Amino acid sequence: MRTKAFFAVIAAAVAGIALWRVVPVYAHHAFGAEFDPNRPVLLKGPVVRVEWINPHTWIHVEVTKDGAKQVWMVEGGTPNSLLRRGLKRDTIKYGDVVIVDGYQAKDRSNRANGRDVTLADGRKFFMGSSGTGAPYDKPGAEQRK
Amino acid sequence: MSIRFTIPAALLLAAIQSGAQTRTPDLSGTYDIATLTPLTRPARYGDRLELSPEEAKALEQQEAAVMAATSRASDPDRKAPPVGGDGSQGAAGNVGGYNTVWIDRGSGAFLIDGKYRTSIMTSPKNGQMPALTPEGRKQAAARGRMNRANTGVAWWVKEGVEPGPYDDPELRPLAERCLLGFGSTAGPPMLPVLYNNLKRIVQTKDTVMILNEMVHDVRIIRLNSKHDPPEIRRWMGDSIGHWEGNTLVVDTTNFNDTPGLANATRNLHVVERFTRIDAKTLRYQFTVEDPTVWVSSWSGEMLWPATDQRIYEYACHEGNYSFGGILRGARILEGDLTGKK
């Protein structure tokens, strides 16, 4: 099978925004092939590890469920884009609490896509930083801890 | 001719050749080809190639508004997304992707000869792909039959489709397997994609190299050479080039069965033209033909603006956890139906 057809428009992948492009915009792999629409998750807990790797970054989040701790891996995008925005691996502070909504992997491991990753107060992860050159970073904006 | 005249003539010839070499344009540099100008033209523009400055401005503002909107804080008390999927289309496959902070697809349309463009494609004049041949339609239909909505169910087992789309790693897309970048980013033709749109050109007297950031695909273009024999096939084809005035013309054939360009076959033939138009900009033009799948050729052009940004490593196999996860996930979904674990 020629499976390039699986790479289709990812516009709706990006927080449901309507992109102007009408040509297919592609991704490294189809998230639809990896994650299960019947297994939505909401994860909340501290970041305990970041794998700053290609093709996709993975953020490890420690979640406490029924008194037991589990580490979930959350899939993001390429770190190269963030490097060019002035963000680095150590921009992320281990221990920062994040909220992630996404869908669990079809292999039912503790992995999910980072459909929306925010700090505990709702600010977008990475964008909540100040003085890093992050997008929409305003001079004098409140510093993260 | 006496030797008295031969030596000065030879020196003069050498001087002319040396001068000619120094006049060869230098394409070297790092370029960021991200653009909001799409490959094919939005239907509302019809045959119109140019975008007015007002329309270009509106496009930039719209993109900036989208980025601002998607950067705003979310509800910290939000719930998990809906069971059954969030309705995302295409590769986002009903589960969504990730935040826009990861995406870098440019902030505006490009200007060529002082005019904005509605599309990269210039031919056919409607800016749309040519019609598919009967064979092209057949191949597209075969792909379409495998391209289903993500329901979290092993539909291929229910329908008895063999081989199923996840039965063999080699049935998976090239980008998913880290063999080539997606969306013809390395090409040819080299097209803008969602992120990592940087290219680096290194030029010597007899070779031009183009490093593509995504999957660090490298094209080696031999100048004034001949194509390899037809039995030698490559992922990005066999590229040879020559100078026509100030333009580097690159001819690429000898693709293997699955070029990076969507729908193309091993019969793909691409001619590219690189022209330096100022100290910081290249003009990139291309013509594509593949008589197996398209009834006619198609062409496009765009700019390659130089950038001070660096190209970073993209070691795709380094952390391609997704690939194993996709195959394992398929086995689990199959087990849900067959009862075999």
Side-chain angles (χ1 to χ4, degrees), chain B residues 209-225:
Chain B
M209 181 214 72
I210 308 178
L211 168 63
N212 190 67
E213 181 172 35
M214 197 84 80
V215 195
H216 39 66
D217 294 324
V218 178
R219 297 180 61 196
I220 306 290
I221 301 158
R222 304 187 306 281
L223 301 184
N224 305 314
S225 182

Side-chain angles (χ1 to χ4, degrees), chain B residues 100-276:
Chain B
T100 45
V101 66
W102 303 97
I103 291 172
D104 184 9
R105 62 194 195 100
S107 56
F110 60 77
L111 275 167
I112 283 190
D113 300 331
K115 305 284 187 185
Y116 293 100
R117 291 286 176 88
T118 53
S119 62
I120 294 171
M121 278 181 68
T122 53
S123 173
K125 67 178 184 178
N126 64 1
Q128 307 301 318
M129 287 287 179
L132 293 172
T133 63
E135 175 61 23
R137 289 199 297 274
K138 182 179 161 189
Q139 293 183 11
R143 287 192 295 274
R145 282 193 290 276
M146 289 293 188
N147 191 9
R148 305 296 183 85
N150 175 23
T151 59
V153 175
W155 58 267
W156 58 95
V157 173
K158 291 177 80 170
E159 298 180 18
V161 173
E162 291 188 10
Y166 305 93
D167 281 7
D168 186 323
E170 295 189 8
L171 293 175
R172 302 305 303 156
L174 300 180
E176 196 172 293
R177 296 158 61 197
C178 292
L179 289 173
L180 281 181
F182 57 83
S184 200
T185 173
M190 305 181 82
L191 302 176
V193 290
L194 204 57
Y195 50 82
N196 291 354
N197 283 295
L198 272 66
K199 321 288 179 194
R200 185 173 183 198
I201 297 181
V202 176
Q203 178 179 330
T204 69
K205 184 180 171 187
D206 56 11
T207 307
V208 174
M209 181 214 72
I210 308 178
L211 168 63
N212 190 67
E213 181 172 35
M214 197 84 80
V215 195
H216 39 66
D217 294 324
V218 178
R219 297 180 61 196
I220 306 290
I221 301 158
R222 304 187 306 281
L223 301 184
N224 305 314
S225 182
K226 292 182 178 176
H227 278 301
D228 285 338
E231 65 271 20
I232 297 178
R233 299 276 164 173
R234 304 168 193 257
W235 294 107
M236 291 173 282
D238 179 53
S239 294
I240 58 174
H242 66 276
W243 291 98
E244 287 183 7
N246 289 328
T247 297
L248 174 68
V249 181
V250 179
D251 186 287
T252 305
T253 62
N254 294 31
F255 289 89
N256 67 13
D257 288 339
T258 53
L261 180 65
N263 293 324
T265 70
R266 70 198 326 257
N267 298 320
L268 176 64
H269 175 215
V270 182
V271 177
E272 299 158 284
R273 300 173 69 85
F274 297 81
T275 309
R276 177 167 291 292

Side-chain angles (χ1 to χ4, degrees), chain B residues 19-97:
Chain B
Q21 284 170 7
T22 57
R23 283 198 299 274
T24 299
D26 183 8
L27 304 180
S28 301
T30 302
Y31 303 91
D32 184 351
I33 72 165
T35 178
L36 295 181
T37 305
L39 176 64
T40 55
R41 190 171 306 148
R44 64 181 177 277
Y45 297 121
D47 288 351
R48 178 153 69 94
L49 180 60
E50 292 174 3
L51 197 65
S52 72
E54 294 75 23
E55 288 169 321
K57 185 73 176 172
L59 172 65
E60 286 180 20
Q61 290 173 339
Q62 180 183 332
E63 176 70 4
V66 166
M67 290 302 287
T70 55
S71 303
R72 279 200 283 272
S74 303
D75 178 3
D77 298 319
R78 65 189 184 278
K79 307 297 182 193
V83 175
D86 67 359
S88 299
Q89 302 294 307
N94 205 17
V95 293

Side-chain angles (χ1 to χ4, degrees), chain A residues 1-10 12-15 17 19-23 25-38 40-42 51 53-58 73 75-78 80-85 99-103 106-108 111 113-118 120-124 126-127 136, chain B residues 35-36 38-40 44 59 66-67 70-74 76 78 80-86 88-93 95-103 105 143 146-147 150-151 165-166 171-173 175-176 182-183 194-196 213 258-259 261 264 309-310 312-316 318-322 328-329 332-333 336:
Chain A
M1 181 184 59
R2 291 284 301 281
T3 43
K4 279 182 288 194
F6 277 116
F7 288 164
V9 180
I10 199 173
V14 189
I17 59 176
L19 300 182
W20 186 70
R21 280 176 186 269
V22 294
V23 291
V25 181
Y26 302 84
H28 162 257
H29 66 273
F31 274 40
E34 186 178 7
F35 298 103
D36 190 338
N38 302 315
V41 294
L42 183 76
E51 294 189 77
I53 54 176
N54 276 303
H56 291 242
T57 299
W58 290 84
M73 293 168 61
E75 188 166 13
T78 176
N80 298 28
S81 301
L82 299 193
L83 282 166
R84 277 191 281 274
R85 294 171 189 260
I99 304 171
V100 180
D101 67 68
Y103 289 89
K106 287 176 178 172
D107 73 357
R108 294 174 197 166
R111 295 181 187 169
N113 62 323
R115 187 172 172 273
D116 190 15
V117 183
T118 69
D121 64 2
R123 284 180 297 160
K124 294 285 191 276
F126 294 116
M127 293 187 180
Y136 314 108
Chain B
T35 178
L36 295 181
L39 176 64
T40 55
R44 64 181 177 277
L59 172 65
V66 166
M67 290 302 287
T70 55
S71 303
R72 279 200 283 272
S74 303
R78 65 189 184 278
V83 175
D86 67 359
S88 299
Q89 302 294 307
V95 293
Y98 40 71
N99 298 108
T100 45
V101 66
W102 303 97
I103 291 172
R105 62 194 195 100
R143 287 192 295 274
M146 289 293 188
N147 191 9
N150 175 23
T151 59
Y166 305 93
L171 293 175
R172 302 305 303 156
E176 196 172 293
F182 57 83
L194 204 57
Y195 50 82
N196 291 354
E213 181 172 35
T258 53
L261 180 65
Q309 290 281 357
R310 295 173 60 188
Y312 294 104
E313 185 179 54
Y314 189 93
C316 188
E318 178 181 35
N320 193 12
Y321 304 151
S322 315
R328 280 193 305 274
I332 287 174
L333 296 191
D336 288 346

